[in-house]
Amino acid sequence: GVDAVRLTMVFAGPPEDDIDWGDVSPAGAKKFLARAWRLSGDVTSAPGTDPTTGDLALRRMTHRTVHDAALAIETYRFNVAVARAMELVNAARKAIDSGVGPADPAVREAAEAVAILLSLVAPYTAEEMWARLGHEPCVALAGWPLVDPALLVAESVTCVVQVSGKVRERLEVAPDISEQDLRALALATPAVVAAVGSTEPRAVIVRAPKLVNVVPG
């Protein structure tokens, strides 16, 4: 439909942007919009449900998505904003299917945020989502979701541990972990121990908190 074509055009942004280029086609865009539309119909909590009682992890992702999307829109990178919305749809879908369930207030908060974000590029789908979520028309008058700064503070980050450039482990670590502590943690993981063997590493390159690269001796 029209929304799928519009979305495809939005995705035709700078190739260096962090987007899923597998969705850069009318078919891919249509598939994503269908997932978002289904999400809005699966929410079972009532409109106006207090989101602060919802799943914290999903709420963190929702607020991070809204924050990142706003920054992207300010610099006219609408494709990045939609890519973030895609990630949020996937997270909410997982929460419904194998997590906290469709009644959790965080699921409604996420679905409503997706509808508002999509209203910028896929207004017809967004309006249908808004109605399915129990709201009166129109989503364009809903206003931008408020971001709670406290939910933007990361409790942990994922550190990629490589041996000779090959990923061997991913660790969840504190954002402020020291290089020394991260080095020790990485070298102690069973996957790294097995890959390096009994010899002392020739080099351990640490870029806390997101990367450790071990060069065997």
Side-chain angles (χ1 to χ4, degrees):
V2 175
D3 279 354
V5 174
R6 288 167 61 99
L7 199 59
T8 304
M9 294 174 64
V10 167
F11 262 124
E16 68 272 13
D17 280 340
D18 181 20
I19 65 172
D20 184 354
W21 288 95
D23 286 303
V24 186
S25 69
K30 185 177 181 180
K31 184 177 179 180
F32 161 64
L33 291 175
R35 289 203 306 270
W37 182 84
R38 286 195 300 271
L39 174 67
S40 65
D42 289 342
V43 174
T44 58
S45 60
T49 300
D50 182 9
T52 62
T53 61
D55 179 69
L56 184 57
L58 182 55
R59 295 204 70 221
R60 287 184 183 279
M61 183 163 189
T62 297
H63 286 245
R64 171 57 64 184
T65 297
V66 172
H67 175 269
D68 290 351
L71 294 178
I73 291 167
E74 288 176 4
T75 54
Y76 304 103
R77 294 179 299 135
F78 295 98
N79 55 334
V80 175
V82 176
R84 297 296 173 264
M86 286 182 167
E87 294 169 357
L88 184 55
V89 167
N90 291 339
R93 181 79 265 162
K94 183 177 180 180
I96 289 175
D97 294 341
S98 60
V100 292
D104 191 280
V107 173
R108 167 169 284 278
E109 183 181 40
E112 291 182 351
V114 169
I116 294 173
L117 266 59
L118 288 183
S119 68
L120 301 176
V121 293
Y124 298 105
T125 301
E127 193 61 59
E128 289 188 19
M129 289 180 65
W130 200 241
R132 282 160 64 87
L133 286 164
H135 295 292
E136 295 294 327
C138 69
V139 66
L141 301 179
W144 196 253
L146 296 178
V147 174
D148 184 349
L151 295 177
L152 299 180
V153 179
E155 291 185 328
S156 66
V157 296
T158 301
C159 175
V160 175
V161 182
Q162 300 176 333
V163 177
S164 298
K166 183 176 181 180
V167 176
R168 296 290 184 176
E169 186 65 271
R170 287 181 171 85
L171 303 172
E172 292 299 316
V173 300
D176 58 350
I177 190 171
S178 69
E179 289 192 359
Q180 181 178 356
D181 288 346
L182 185 56
R183 181 185 191 276
L185 182 63
L187 291 177
T189 60
V192 173
V193 172
V196 173
S198 58
T199 59
E200 185 71 17
R202 182 154 49 96
V204 180
I205 303 167
V206 181
R207 298 289 183 266
K210 293 187 176 182
L211 176 67
V212 176
N213 189 24
V214 181
V215 182

